[in-house]
Structures are given as structure tokens and as C-alpha cells.
Amino acid sequence: MVKNTKIVSSSTVFEAGLAIKNGRIVGLAKEPNLPKAEKTIDACGCLTLPGVIDVHVHFREPGLTHKEDFLSGSMAAVAGGVTTVADMPNTNPPTLDPESLKVKVEKARGKSYVNIGFIGGVVRGNLDKLFLLGEAGVLGFKMFMVETLGLPLDDDCMVEAFRLVGETGKPLLVHAEDFQLIQDSTRKVREAGKKDFLAWVESRPSFAEAKAIDKVNLFSQKTGCKTHVCHVSSKAGVKTLKDAKKENSLLTCETCPHYLLLDVENVDKSSFICKITPPIRFRSDRETLWRGLLDGTIDMVASDHSPHTKKEKLCENVWEAASGFVGVETMVPLMLTQVNLGRLSLNHYVKVSSENPAKLLGFYPRKGLIQVGSDADLTIVDLKKEDKIRAERLHSKSRVTPFDGWMVKGIPVYTVVKGNVVMEKGEIVGEPKGEILLVG
């Protein structure tokens, strides 16, 4: 049972307690009207949010476990108030068929504190496996329009992939950057001898993102495929999406805290900790992303948690440094700080962190909402509590973050996954009993 709390949805805040049984919410009422419970959380002064859902993490298992694994990644998630994640397919082996999905499921079983589902990859050689992957239980599919899983698909293959994924009824998540434009830009930058942080930004221009989103929108409309654009990073990308969504109801998108909070003017450019794909851009991009988040153009916030070792990040030039950094543990306090600063309302935060992610993955209202019958996934937060992000305190195997030293106000104090308390006042508790989410 949770007592002495205020429950938050995307539209309301109300005082009530929660009764939980067998991983589900079975009652919402003031404490005197709730049944007796074996365990009670006194959430006095705290707010109870629907469990935060991160639709974009890279937990690196199998094959890349020197960076992260299901145990460490899931501990980072619940320490940061996240109750459900969708894990990306670019592992070793990549998740491209039912057999590789089975390997990932078995490795995660009994090791994850967080509810976890898996995204299947889309490459040139596995189009005939997409329907089988869908039946085997992936939450959706991921297409990289860049070289992450080998050479990207040509246009004919892309249209066919959109059509096939559309037939499964599951979403196609797309890393949207135009491959040829990036190749050309990168060649020019490298030939000019540039190798600093700004060279990375210059090599992946925002119009490459906008052009790719245009293509994605066209193929989504042509095939009827529910399509989600990952990690939108630019002013040009937001404008393209805003226009596209006027005529395409199948299109959703996400951005990330690092694009909302960082720009080339305020990051440390002396190292490559902030190198990520797409790159962190300029203040005008950051400001436009905020407008897009507030007006509904951007549907949700995800972390793109992509851990690397310090050795892989701290290189002498930008071309050698790995792209990505951890984010699943810092995402909630960073965004709650913005709530405290008045950048967005708490209700809107619930919409972009819980409700809309649950809808994308097909779990709403089982998840993303606190009501009788919903899963007891809860993120209980103290909006008044302050802390400082410290890299050495993170639970990920990788402790490389551009937010080291940032003050935050608004801290998750309990994380409840399927009725089990797995984080209490910053400490991981209990056993890794997160649900493996397979949707056939």
C-alpha cells in the first residue's frame, strides 16, 4: 500500500492512497478506506507518478557486457525512477531473428530489476524474418538509416520494410539521418583536418536529420506503418515533424534530456564526453526542441542510454571517441528539475514520460496510468528534494556523463515495479523481478 500521497496523471493531481495486489493496483482511496497491507510506503510530502517508461536504452547484452549488462543497466534504471525500458537491437549478436531474441530474453531473465522489452532490428538481410520476430514478442522494430547495423537499406528495401512492419501492427522506430549527406559532410570535415568536438557537429548537419524525417514520413504514409522518430536533435527536425504530423497520425517522435539541456555553447568541448549521435547542437536547436515538446510536436522524452567505457570515450580526437553516454539514471531528476523551474508542468511531464511511451509500445492503460487494474509500476518523487549528480555514484558500469556535478531538484525516492519496491531512498532493494515484456 502507498499512503499519504498525491497521484499525478497527465490531466489531474489528486490525494489518495493505493492498494496493490499481485502486481496490480486494486484500490484507490484515502487510507481509512484501503485494505490492510503487509508493506506500506508512507509517501508523505511526495507525489506518485505512473512508472516512467524509457523507450530507448542500450543495455549492451549480449556481447558488449564490458560496457553494460541487464543487471547493471536495470539497477541504473530503477535507481533513476524508471520502471520499464525498451532495449535496442544493436548488440552482438544483434536482435534480427527469433533465435537472437531468445538469447537476449534468456540472458535478461532473473537479472532485471526493471520491466524490459526488446526491439528487433531491420537490416537488408532479415526482411523475411520480421513477421516471425513480431510473433516472437518484440515490442517493435528499429531501422538505422546510418551504418550502425551495416549499410543502411536503399529506398526500395526501406519501403518494403515499412510495409512488412506495418503488417505486424507494431511500431517502427527509426534513427533518422540521411546516410549520403552525412558521408559527404564527414569526408569534407576530415579532409580539412578537423578533429575537435565541433567537427563532429559539423559532420552530421541538421538538414540530414530533416531530410531523413521527410523520407520516413513519406514511407509511413505510403505503407500505413506506425512510425516513431528517435532522438530528434534539431530545429530543422522539429519543423519537419510539425508539418508531417499535420497529415500523418501514424507518426510519433522523441527527444532526450541532453538535447533539451545541452548545446555547443554550454558543454565542455575539451573532451569528447558529450559526443553522441545525432550530435548536441546549438542554442536555437535546444530552444526549438523545448517548444516542440510543449506544443505536442515531440511526444515523449527518452534517454538513449548508450554506455561506453572511459577508455572508449576519452580519446585524443573526436573520430576515435565512441559516440554515446549513460542517461537512464539521470533522466528523471533532470526533467523534474525543469518542472521545478517552470519549463513544463508536472502533468505534461507525466504525459511525455509515462502515458505517451506506454501508448507507443501498446501498453496503455495497463501502464502509463494509475487506475484500478493497471500494473503497479510507480515512480514516487520528492519535488523538493535536492541533490548533485555524481558520476561515481551511478549504477551503470559506465560512469561517463556530461551531467556530472549538475544540481537537480526533484528526486525519485521510491521505484515500484509490478508491486515490488526495488529502490528506496536511493538504495536498490529486493530482488531483480522485473517482467520480461513479450508481445506476440
Side-chain angles (χ1 to χ4, degrees):
M1 179 173 71
V2 181
K3 68 176 184 178
N4 294 333
T5 191
K6 292 182 178 180
I7 295 170
V8 187
S9 73
S10 63
S11 58
T12 62
V13 180
F14 60 95
E15 292 186 10
L18 297 92
I20 297 167
K21 184 177 181 180
N22 297 328
R24 295 287 179 95
I25 297 168
V26 295
L28 290 175
K30 297 290 180 66
E31 183 188 351
N33 298 315
L34 290 172
K36 291 184 178 181
E38 293 180 6
K39 180 177 177 63
T40 298
I41 295 174
D42 187 346
C44 182
C46 296
L47 301 165
T48 299
L49 281 53
V52 171
I53 299 170
D54 191 344
V55 302
H56 194 151
V57 304
H58 300 265
F59 280 177
R60 304 300 192 196
E61 192 168 3
L64 302 168
T65 53
H66 64 288
K67 303 173 189 277
E68 193 76 286
D69 59 34
F70 290 125
L71 182 61
S72 62
S74 69
M75 291 173 70
V78 298
V82 174
T83 61
T84 299
V85 299
D87 184 58
M88 294 297 125
N90 52 317
T91 46
N92 186 18
T95 314
L96 300 179
D97 52 40
E99 291 73 26
S100 54
L101 174 63
K102 184 178 180 180
V103 168
K104 189 169 275 194
V105 168
E106 290 307 311
K107 287 187 175 295
R109 198 177 301 280
K111 287 178 59 180
S112 182
Y113 281 89
V114 72
N115 299 320
I116 186 167
F118 305 102
I119 304 297
V122 178
V123 297
R124 291 169 180 261
N126 83 326
L127 298 190
D128 61 335
K129 302 291 196 306
L130 298 183
F131 186 78
L132 295 174
L133 255 178
E135 285 191 323
V138 293
L139 302 183
F141 298 85
K142 177 76 175 285
M143 176 187 292
F144 295 89
M145 295 176 71
V146 290
E147 65 278 11
T148 303
L149 285 175
L151 287 174
L153 282 68
D154 59 33
D155 286 357
D156 286 344
C157 284
M158 278 187 68
V159 172
E160 180 65 3
F162 271 75
R163 184 186 68 79
L164 291 168
V165 172
E167 290 180 355
T168 71
K170 298 184 179 186
L172 178 61
L173 286 65
V174 183
H175 179 128
E177 290 183 286
D178 185 89
F179 181 59
Q180 189 61 54
L181 283 176
I182 288 172
Q183 278 198 316
D184 294 343
S185 297
T186 301
R187 186 187 69 253
K188 291 174 183 176
V189 173
R190 297 195 71 161
E191 285 177 351
K194 298 178 183 180
K195 54 184 180 181
D196 63 355
F197 181 81
L198 291 177
W200 180 249
V201 182
E202 187 179 346
S203 73
R204 304 183 89 95
S206 59
F207 59 81
E209 181 173 79
K211 182 180 179 183
I213 292 170
D214 251 338
K215 182 181 290 188
V216 164
N217 175 47
L218 178 65
F219 292 171
S220 171
Q221 290 188 76
K222 180 179 178 64
T223 61
C225 179
K226 184 164 68 171
T227 305
H228 179 76
V229 179
C230 297
H231 42 52
V232 180
S233 67
S234 69
K235 179 178 180 179
V238 173
K239 183 180 184 304
T240 304
L241 279 161
K242 189 167 189 174
D243 292 340
K245 291 179 76 172
K246 291 175 182 176
E247 57 186 21
N248 186 1
S249 62
L250 297 170
L251 200 59
T252 59
C253 64
E254 71 193 41
T255 193
C256 309
H258 43 273
Y259 299 123
L260 292 167
L261 301 176
L262 301 175
D263 56 57
V264 296
E265 288 91 351
N266 72 5
V267 301
D268 178 6
K269 295 182 280 294
S270 65
S271 76
F272 306 118
I273 287 174
C274 289
K275 180 183 176 183
I276 197 163
T277 310
I280 290 162
R281 302 189 189 274
F282 300 93
R283 184 171 299 164
S284 62
D285 295 289
R286 181 165 62 84
E287 291 170 349
T288 303
L289 287 164
W290 270 108
R291 287 195 291 272
L293 184 68
L294 296 175
D295 71 17
T297 301
I298 296 172
D299 301 276
M300 62 199 75
V301 176
S303 72
D304 192 9
H305 176 84
S306 44
H308 298 285
T309 65
K310 283 187 178 180
K311 183 178 180 180
E312 291 167 325
K313 289 293 291 182
L314 302 180
C315 301
E316 292 190 1
N317 73 71
V318 77
W319 309 113
E320 295 173 357
S323 184
F325 45 74
V326 297
V328 72
E329 189 167 348
T330 56
M331 176 174 67
V332 174
L334 286 168
M335 294 306 298
L336 289 177
T337 302
Q338 304 310 302
V339 171
N340 272 310
L341 290 171
R343 295 297 301 268
L344 76 166
S345 71
L346 187 61
N347 299 116
H348 195 69
Y349 175 65
V350 166
K351 188 178 187 71
V352 300
S353 68
S354 302
E355 182 178 305
N356 285 347
K359 289 177 178 177
L360 172 71
L361 298 177
F363 292 132
Y364 189 82
R366 175 185 157 195
K367 298 182 185 295
L369 179 67
I370 295 176
Q371 68 174 17
V372 172
S374 294
D375 288 348
D377 295 337
L378 308 172
T379 303
I380 302 176
V381 304
D382 184 345
L383 270 190
K384 297 179 181 178
K385 184 176 176 62
E386 297 184 55
D387 200 1
K388 182 180 285 189
I389 294 173
R390 289 296 190 192
E392 67 268 16
R393 286 163 41 191
L394 297 177
H395 290 77
S396 172
K397 286 186 178 182
S398 169
R399 295 183 172 92
V400 181
T401 170
F403 297 109
D404 186 31
W406 278 50
M407 289 300 303
V408 286
K409 183 178 181 181
I411 307 296
V413 289
Y414 292 93
T415 306
V416 181
V417 174
K418 294 286 285 184
N420 297 302
V421 178
V422 290
M423 186 276 285
E424 183 172 350
K425 299 177 181 177
E427 299 295 325
I428 306 297
V429 296
E431 300 297 325
K433 296 179 180 178
E435 183 180 3
I436 305 296
L437 300 168
L438 296 173
V439 182

